[in-house]
Amino acid sequence: MAERAGGTLPTARVRAEATEAKVVVRGLSVRYTSSRGTLTALEDISLSVQAGEFCCVVGPSGCGKSTLLRVLAGLIPCAEGEVRIRSDGPQRPLTAMVFQDYALLPWRTVLDNVAFGPENRGVPRAERYRLAREILAKVGLSGFEHAYPHQLSGGMKQRVGIARALANDPEVLLMDEPLAALDAQTRNLMQEELLRIWAEFGKTVVYVTHAIDEAVLLGDRVVVMTARPGRVKAVVPVDLERPRTLEQKGSAHFARLYNEVWQLLREEVSAASREAGGG
Amino acid sequence: MARQGGKAAAGRAAHPAALSVLSVLALLSLWEWAAGGGWVREAFFPRPSSVVAQFVVLVRDGTLASHLSATLTRVAWAFLVAALPGVAVGLTMGVWRGAREALDPLFAFVYPIPSVLFLPLAAFVLGRGEPARVLTSAVTSFFLVAANTLTGVRQLDRGVLEAAVHYGATGHRLFFKVLLPGSLPWIFTGLRLGLGFALIVVVAVEMVGAEQGLGSLLWLSWQTLKVRDMYVTLLVIGFLGLGATYGLERVRERLLPWQPRVEVRR
Amino acid sequence: MTGAAARQTLRAVRVDARSLAAAGILVAGWEFLPRRGLLNPAYFPPASQVVAALAEGLSAGELLPHVAATVSRLLVAFFLAALPGLGVGVAMGLSGTVRRVADPYVALLYPIPKVALLPLMLILFGVGERAFVLTGALTAFFQIVVNTMDGIRQVDPTLVEVGRNYGATRFRLFWKVVLPAALPGILTGLRLGLGLTLVTVVAVEFAIAKSGLGHVVWGSWQTLTTPRMYAAFVAVGLLGLLLTRGLKRLQDRLLAWQTSVDVW
């Protein structure tokens, strides 16, 4: 993976020195060359995320927010600009991703799915199962260790996805619209769960979503992106007090923040749908 | 075969299988009565009771056992000879595009050729004997296993693959922990079809050139006009096919508990 | 030509180039190994001799009657089986009663290698075309029955509900909803049926018939006229290729709404 070769590639994702922010993105651009010409997915993104921060990224569909996350994850190489992730423990993986469609291995039990990352890093069997059980308990999945993914509901599958990411103990937790496939009630429940889990584990999180209420409820800051090509349009700090609860969604302060983000996003969404309709 | 209708039917009839049992009993007694009364020619359609009697005779004198074991041995060997390289080639073609593109036209051409025709070829290489019969019976099964294995690798969910790589499954770990287990359901389908086809070709090969085996017993019973022997042999072959299909399906269910259960015939 | 089309064509050409290269190496090996004596030319004649035998057989008309015999048996058997197979399959798919009555026979007879029924056909009808063709027809029949039944039973019940909701009568429901939805399964059954019937017909020819490509392979094996044997072999391969690929393409065209899964 890219991080191991970080030193030799100036533009790749690298492990960074201990003095700066947890995640630093500078001048990142991603272009796809296809038969129809060059498509710029991300243009000149600069962003930094502090240790322990919950950073939400919102933007219209197709603005490249998932691409940004995949560059952070090392799944897409970054050709222009740089991505630095500060490493506080040399053995820890830089990132672990929670996927929108869960992406669990269907032939593995819940326990084996959660233990998958440590297993690949050579953690002994007893140790990784102990770790997996501990984390499963914390995400509320005790008793389901030996179930297979097809036996679980969407919300439970995503708890497994989150547990898998936490079990890998990454420097940064990446979440790609993790609740998008769930129904409204389950999504509310899971938002509360995420707040609780984040408070307990204290991870640095980069969280991509298209739901403004989710971004405002969860995030310390909300990064608003433009329609394609994706740029950072604005960063809205969220000063709602913590610990947060679902009830805060009813407050006037929440509504003000929601509106601020919505006004920023509004013209981008209509720009994006114009482009989709025209092209 | 999907049997989602089974549950609904259970509500109506006392037992869903009752009608099937009734149907078989009715046909057998009609047949028995018609043959006994001379309505159909017993030379062609012997009474079921006399077929059963002949079955007992053939079991008692060991005829059936020796032919059955000859056929089973051939099927087992053919299956083995087909399955191992079939899975290996299928996996290779699944992960290595060069192999896929190079072998595709050859396989597309050879695969539909009926296996029996390979008997002369196999005999040229191996001489007229048991190995040639086994190799002939393995040809089509090999392609079935390879084709299904290839499909198994190709249909793996891209998102799952991406996640697996992200969580550190690369190289041999990607192969043994992701590609292989992920394509197992398709490999099993290939094995099931391959086993069925091995039986088909073994019987055909035995009919045209073997002294032992159910196929040769069938051929002999035609040439000596022993119709009852023929019906007995056909029944045994039928149950063999049935057993092969469902047996391997049970094995699959046991080995792949992570799959939602689907019942299949074929 | 747009860039996309050009690129696609380029890729297709590249794939074909690789495949052609592989086929070329194979044919070259087939030509030179026997010539160098590394393979016994009595058993494995060089490719050029096989091609010559094939060309001569087709132009002099010696092979043509055999091709015609195999093809006509195949087609007669298939069409004899298609209508009854579709009828029984539809009935078993729609009615639980019919299914439970007929299921034991289908379950027992479907996995029987149909070549095994040849001796029975020979007893019933004597050695001749009727027995050969019927053995082939039984192959297609059971394949079509099973796939048609499964196709109909796998029709999404919500589609039927939608049809009912929009006022379709039983008759219209069948023609407008159930049948189109089951069509992929039905066409697959017809396609597999035709392919398997070729297997049976050739095996029957190999075993007993005095004409057809299967018989040519058998006869040339016995007399060790190997170029002719391989010529018949290649002819069967081409016939099979034509059937499998051609029908698959036809099915994909008829079912443009379906994403196609390709296995040879």
Side-chain angles (χ1 to χ4, degrees):
Chain A
M1 281 183 71
E3 71 229 38
R4 306 288 170 221
T8 57
L9 295 168
T11 54
R13 196 175 73 137
V14 294
R15 275 183 194 277
E17 298 305 318
T19 50
E20 48 190 357
K22 192 76 182 173
V23 180
V24 177
V25 180
R26 256 188 230 125
L28 169 68
S29 297
V30 174
R31 293 176 225 286
Y32 294 112
T33 320
S34 79
S35 50
R36 294 167 69 188
T38 303
L39 185 133
T40 307
L42 293 174
E43 190 162 86
D44 195 22
I45 301 269
S46 292
L47 183 71
S48 58
V49 182
Q50 300 303 318
E53 184 183 350
F54 200 120
C55 176
C56 290
V57 180
V58 297
S61 330
C63 74
K65 46 191 196 293
S66 280
T67 306
L68 173 61
L69 221 51
R70 280 176 164 67
V71 174
L72 291 179
L75 290 167
I76 298 176
C78 71
E80 265 180 78
E82 67 176 337
V83 172
R84 302 163 75 83
I85 295 172
R86 196 180 83 208
S87 167
D88 295 330
Q91 291 311 312
R92 288 163 78 184
L94 291 181
T95 58
M97 177 107 116
V98 177
F99 296 85
Q100 177 180 344
D101 46 7
Y102 325 123
L104 302 174
L105 306 183
W107 53 89
R108 286 184 162 234
T109 61
V110 166
L111 188 66
D112 279 322
N113 261 293
V114 175
F116 189 58
E119 180 182 334
N120 287 324
R121 287 187 288 117
V123 176
R125 191 187 178 85
E127 167 64 15
R128 64 179 188 251
Y129 279 164
R130 192 196 56 73
L131 177 74
R133 280 179 204 282
E134 185 186 314
I135 289 172
L136 280 171
K138 285 183 180 162
V139 301
L141 276 175
S142 288
F144 291 95
E145 288 87 352
H146 300 294
Y148 286 99
H150 78 88
Q151 299 167 313
L152 304 178
S153 68
M156 285 165 78
K157 278 185 206 165
Q158 198 53 293
R159 282 169 203 257
V160 179
I162 293 166
R164 172 171 69 177
L166 289 171
N168 223 17
D169 190 25
E171 300 287 350
V172 179
L173 192 58
L174 304 173
M175 307 186 97
D176 185 13
E177 307 205 27
L179 309 185
L182 304 178
D183 62 73
Q185 286 93 337
T186 313
R187 192 155 51 214
N188 278 334
L189 270 173
M190 287 296 288
Q191 287 170 359
E192 271 192 321
E193 277 291 292
L194 280 174
L195 284 168
R196 189 181 61 74
I197 292 168
W198 176 71
E200 180 164 355
F201 285 83
K203 284 283 171 200
T204 313
V205 179
V206 180
Y207 189 104
V208 162
T209 177
H210 61 257
I212 300 172
D213 66 326
E214 199 167 293
V216 172
L217 180 72
L218 297 176
D220 293 313
R221 286 185 301 157
V222 177
V223 176
V224 182
M225 289 180 65
T226 63
R228 189 181 294 148
R231 297 190 194 88
V232 175
K233 177 164 181 157
V235 179
V236 179
V238 181
D239 49 359
L240 292 169
E241 67 184 67
R242 293 198 186 261
R244 293 186 193 160
T245 59
L246 279 182
E247 283 68 46
Q248 279 167 294
K249 282 191 184 179
S251 75
H253 192 39
F254 186 94
R256 249 193 327 275
L257 287 163
Y258 183 99
N259 260 322
E260 188 180 344
V261 176
W262 169 234
Q263 292 309 330
L264 286 163
L265 206 51
R266 181 176 208 152
E267 45 199 281
E268 299 304 329
V269 171
S270 48
S273 57
R274 262 201 309 279
E275 191 192 322
Chain B
M1 185 173 84
R3 292 193 185 262
Q4 64 270 51
K7 258 183 245 151
R12 245 184 305 149
H15 199 286
L19 207 51
S20 301
V21 174
L22 215 66
S23 153
V24 173
L25 288 179
L27 184 87
L28 286 180
S29 26
L30 185 71
W31 186 345
E32 183 79 32
W33 171 76
W39 299 95
V40 297
R41 288 183 59 182
E42 251 208 291
F44 294 167
F45 301 103
R47 284 176 293 131
S49 58
S50 72
V51 172
V52 172
Q54 184 63 16
F55 174 76
V56 174
V57 170
L58 290 179
V59 170
R60 284 238 173 99
D61 70 4
T63 314
L64 211 51
S66 70
H67 288 288
L68 182 63
S69 75
T71 298
L72 285 179
T73 311
R74 286 184 188 118
V75 170
W77 274 110
F79 181 61
L80 213 65
V81 167
L84 295 180
V87 170
V89 169
L91 286 173
T92 309
M93 289 175 80
V95 294
W96 182 21
R97 191 167 153 188
R100 189 160 65 245
E101 282 168 9
L103 289 179
D104 184 61
L106 178 66
F107 280 17
F109 178 73
V110 180
Y111 167 61
I113 297 180
S115 318
V116 210
L117 293 191
F118 287 94
L119 187 58
L121 244 81
F124 289 162
V125 182
L126 300 169
R128 294 193 184 205
E130 221 35 49
R133 294 182 193 124
V134 166
L135 185 67
T136 304
S137 314
V139 175
T140 303
S141 302
F142 163 79
F143 286 114
L144 283 170
V145 174
N148 278 281
T149 306
L150 169 64
T151 311
V153 178
R154 306 279 291 152
Q155 56 78 44
L156 280 170
D157 187 292
R158 284 192 57 85
V160 170
L161 282 182
E162 194 187 42
V165 171
H166 180 66
Y167 282 98
T170 50
H172 67 95
R173 280 196 298 264
L174 185 65
F175 184 82
F176 285 109
K177 292 186 178 178
V178 183
L179 293 176
L180 192 60
S183 38
L184 264 187
W186 286 82
I187 295 180
F188 257 93
T189 306
L191 292 179
R192 187 161 44 81
L193 297 176
L195 186 58
F197 232 92
L199 177 66
I200 292 183
V201 187
V202 163
V203 169
V205 166
E206 285 172 350
M207 280 170 61
V208 296
E211 300 76 36
Q212 283 283 311
L214 294 172
S216 64
L217 181 59
L218 213 52
W219 200 245
L220 192 74
S221 63
W222 168 60
Q223 289 180 324
T224 54
L225 285 181
K226 288 183 179 162
V227 190
R228 285 180 184 82
D229 284 13
M230 184 184 292
Y231 278 98
V232 170
T233 315
L234 279 177
L235 266 176
V236 172
I237 294 175
F239 280 111
L240 218 53
L242 210 62
T245 306
Y246 285 110
L248 217 54
E249 202 49 34
R250 289 292 98 81
V251 174
R252 193 187 70 93
E253 275 166 22
R254 178 78 45 99
L255 287 184
L256 305 177
W258 53 273
Q259 277 220 307
R261 228 176 110 146
V262 197
E263 282 200 41
V264 239
R265 163 149 67 203
R266 264 166 63 76
Chain C
M1 191 192 266
T2 64
R7 197 175 297 269
Q8 210 158 36
T9 315
L10 209 68
R11 181 173 300 166
V13 169
R14 203 163 37 216
V15 169
D16 277 356
R18 227 187 278 202
S19 301
L20 271 179
I25 291 170
L26 194 84
V27 172
W30 186 6
E31 178 69 29
F32 287 107
L33 290 180
R35 280 197 185 283
R36 286 289 162 91
L38 293 169
L39 279 174
N40 185 347
Y43 291 161
F44 300 98
S48 55
Q49 284 186 25
V50 174
V51 173
L54 184 63
E56 195 197 314
L58 291 179
S59 61
E62 193 271 327
L63 263 185
L64 272 180
H66 294 291
V67 176
T70 301
V71 171
S72 69
R73 280 178 194 133
L74 175 68
L75 291 182
V76 172
F78 178 74
F79 285 109
L80 219 56
L83 268 186
L86 286 174
V88 173
V90 166
M92 286 181 76
L94 290 179
S95 152
T97 310
V98 174
R99 186 164 58 248
R100 277 187 287 282
V101 168
D103 206 36
Y105 312 111
V106 176
L108 186 65
L109 291 175
Y110 176 69
I112 285 191
K114 300 308 172 301
V115 207
L117 295 177
L118 174 65
L120 183 62
M121 295 299 122
L122 292 175
I123 285 197
L124 294 182
F125 302 101
V127 179
E129 284 307 313
R130 272 203 295 177
F132 306 157
V133 166
L134 272 174
T135 310
L138 283 168
T139 313
F141 175 77
F142 284 101
Q143 192 65 49
I144 294 169
V145 166
V146 167
N147 281 81
T148 304
M149 171 174 68
D150 286 354
I152 286 191
R153 297 194 63 198
Q154 274 157 15
V155 171
D156 186 352
T158 44
L159 281 182
V160 178
E161 276 176 23
V162 169
R164 272 218 189 99
N165 241 316
Y166 285 87
T169 58
R170 277 181 85 89
F171 183 74
R172 289 180 62 86
L173 203 62
F174 176 73
W175 286 105
K176 302 281 176 186
V177 180
V178 176
L179 206 57
L183 207 55
I186 294 174
L187 289 184
T188 301
L190 291 171
R191 189 163 53 81
L192 292 177
L194 192 56
L196 282 174
T197 306
L198 178 67
V199 173
T200 304
V201 163
V202 171
V204 166
E205 291 170 351
F206 194 81
I208 194 164
K210 292 285 169 272
S211 62
L213 290 169
H215 167 70
V216 174
V217 172
W218 169 263
S220 332
W221 180 30
Q222 299 307 316
T223 56
L224 272 187
T225 38
T226 42
R228 183 165 174 267
M229 184 187 106
Y230 285 101
F233 209 82
V234 171
V236 174
L238 289 176
L239 197 60
L241 193 66
L242 200 74
L243 283 180
T244 48
R245 283 276 154 111
L247 287 176
K248 188 74 186 45
R249 200 156 291 179
L250 187 70
Q251 182 176 6
D252 287 345
R253 179 159 302 185
L254 285 175
L255 300 174
W257 52 271
Q258 222 200 5
T259 45
S260 130
V261 183
D262 243 329
V263 183
W264 290 315

